[in-house]
Amino acid sequence: MVQAKSWILAKHFNGFPKDSDFHLKVEELPEPKDGEVLLEAVFLSVDPYMRPFSRVHMKEGDVMIGSQVAKVIQSKNPAFHVGSHVVSRCGWRTHAVSDGKDLTPIMSDWAPDVSFSLALGTIGMPGLTALYGIEEVLGLQKNETLLVNAAAGAVGTVVGQIAKIKGCKVVGSAGSDAKVAYLKELGFDEAFNYKTVPSLEEALKKAAPEGYDCFFENVGGHFSTVALPQMNNFGRIAVCGSISTYNDGTPQTGPYPHLTMIFKQLRMEGFMQNRWEHKHPESLKRLMAWLKEGKLKSREHITKGFENMPAAFMGLLQGENIGKAIVAV
């Protein structure tokens, strides 16, 4: 029998999450039955989506949702051999018993010099989100101008790099000078710190006087209000996130974008990467190929220790990370 730890949502978040909203549970797991495997977490993901999803998809007392890279330490399922690694959606747990249906094996041709943690980032859900947002939602074309906010995060960094691979001008907004410097390292044409510019409107205009053809939206709220009037006619907006609103106690209201959208004939579409799940194997290979070729760089913000999951999550929501936020067990 294995002693397993898990982080429980003790209380639904009211505003910004706090330590008392989480509870660490310890339990003994049974031996896996025929067809089952026992997993041990190696890397766990913390992501902004967990904040709004917890309200919609969880009840108090549930294990916090999320993905992890896990190692198979016992197996009674011939599809998963002991010592192999998988991506599991079993949440914030150190160990779990699975029948294998919710597991995705790490791709067989995973580069030996690439950490498995990237299966939670650039070669995982955030990378797929960036790729599908650009290709399936925006239909980004060579020589177009793309704006991405929260640009130094797990998704935003990949968005900007793929747009450069496609021959586009890329403008990124981020919340610190260190993040802006990193965006420049990645090849962004323009980048600025939205917290320190005198005027967000002027910063956007200066970065792209020609206007924006595509906008990869991760922030929502005031940023969106300022950005939409600077879209070009027939511009496209991919709505991936709205992190500026996730911790609001009272929903933000107005201004409303409808007249701008009508006059400029804009198209705005919300999306999640699982819509294109049938493309995942091919898409992950494309992302890995770009990584091997040096066209795609990856940076991680790693917190050590399963006991620090809540702190890592809250740090993410405060913008402490550059690149993908990961917890290493």
Side-chain angles (χ1 to χ4, degrees):
M1 300 248 296
V2 169
Q3 189 179 75
K5 297 177 182 177
S6 57
W7 280 105
I8 305 297
L9 180 68
K11 189 175 181 181
H12 273 297
F13 307 125
N14 182 16
F16 195 85
K18 49 189 181 293
D19 288 333
S20 58
D21 295 330
F22 305 93
H23 170 69
L24 185 61
K25 180 180 177 181
V26 180
E27 61 183 333
E28 298 284 338
L29 289 185
E31 291 289 314
K33 301 172 186 173
D34 286 345
E36 293 182 334
V37 296
L38 175 62
L39 303 173
E40 182 175 74
V42 181
F43 299 106
L44 296 103
S45 181
V46 286
D47 300 280
Y49 80 82
M50 294 170 177
R51 175 62 180 86
F53 272 51
S54 68
R55 174 64 67 178
V56 177
H57 296 292
M58 294 180 63
K59 60 183 185 295
E60 292 177 355
D62 285 351
V63 175
M64 279 294 297
I65 55 175
S67 298
Q68 61 173 253
V69 171
K71 184 177 182 179
V72 177
I73 58 172
Q74 289 185 42
S75 179
K76 294 184 179 178
N77 184 325
F80 302 95
H81 63 266
V82 171
S84 63
H85 289 79
V86 297
V87 176
S88 167
R89 295 192 290 268
C90 66
W92 294 14
R93 306 174 189 264
T94 58
H95 298 81
V97 173
S98 168
D99 62 6
K101 292 177 182 176
D102 63 337
L103 305 181
T104 304
I106 297 287
M107 50 198 282
S108 58
D109 52 350
W110 189 272
D113 58 339
V114 175
S115 170
F116 286 142
S117 58
L118 265 67
L120 301 174
T122 302
I123 317 296
M125 180 273 287
L128 293 168
T129 300
L131 182 63
Y132 297 144
I134 285 176
E135 293 189 346
E136 305 291 342
V137 181
L138 294 176
L140 185 66
Q141 302 298 310
K142 186 176 181 179
N143 296 324
E144 289 191 314
T145 300
L146 170 91
L147 170 64
V148 56
N149 49 17
V155 175
T157 52
V158 183
V159 167
Q161 292 180 88
I162 293 177
K164 291 308 300 178
I165 290 170
K166 292 181 176 291
C168 297
K169 176 177 175 178
V170 180
V171 177
S173 166
S176 76
D177 291 345
K179 292 179 179 180
V180 169
Y182 182 59
L183 297 182
K184 292 287 193 177
E185 284 180 35
L186 293 180
F188 280 58
D189 297 278
E190 301 287 343
F192 62 86
N193 181 347
Y194 73 90
K195 293 181 179 177
T196 58
V197 292
S199 163
L200 178 58
E201 181 180 5
E202 291 305 314
L204 289 169
K205 285 181 178 176
K206 181 181 177 183
E210 71 279 13
Y212 297 93
D213 303 299
C214 291
F215 175 20
F216 198 108
E217 167 70 289
N218 291 310
V219 174
H222 173 69
F223 193 106
S224 185
T225 298
V226 176
L228 287 191
Q230 300 195 43
M231 298 296 296
N232 291 329
N233 289 342
F234 307 105
R236 294 94 71 199
I237 301 110
V239 183
C240 171
S242 182
I243 196 168
S244 72
T245 68
Y246 289 168
N247 295 302
D248 289 349
T250 303
Q252 297 180 29
T253 58
Y256 301 104
H258 302 85
L259 283 178
T260 300
M261 294 187 69
I262 293 166
F263 293 151
K264 290 181 175 284
Q265 301 185 70
L266 304 178
R267 179 168 61 81
M268 180 185 285
E269 181 178 345
F271 75 101
M272 293 187 288
Q273 48 82 30
N274 57 5
R275 192 196 310 181
W276 298 279
E277 196 163 359
H278 61 286
K279 289 190 173 186
H280 282 6
E282 170 205 347
S283 299
L284 291 171
K285 286 181 180 178
R286 292 176 64 199
L287 292 165
M288 180 62 86
W290 283 330
L291 188 80
K292 288 179 180 176
E293 292 165 12
K295 294 178 180 177
L296 203 54
K297 297 181 176 64
S298 182
R299 184 162 166 179
E300 296 176 306
H301 181 96
I302 297 179
T303 302
K304 293 186 177 179
F306 182 76
E307 68 277 8
N308 293 317
M309 288 289 299
F313 177 54
M314 291 185 280
L316 167 80
L317 294 177
Q318 289 174 319
E320 292 179 359
N321 60 300
I322 296 180
K324 179 73 187 84
I326 294 287
V327 174
V329 179

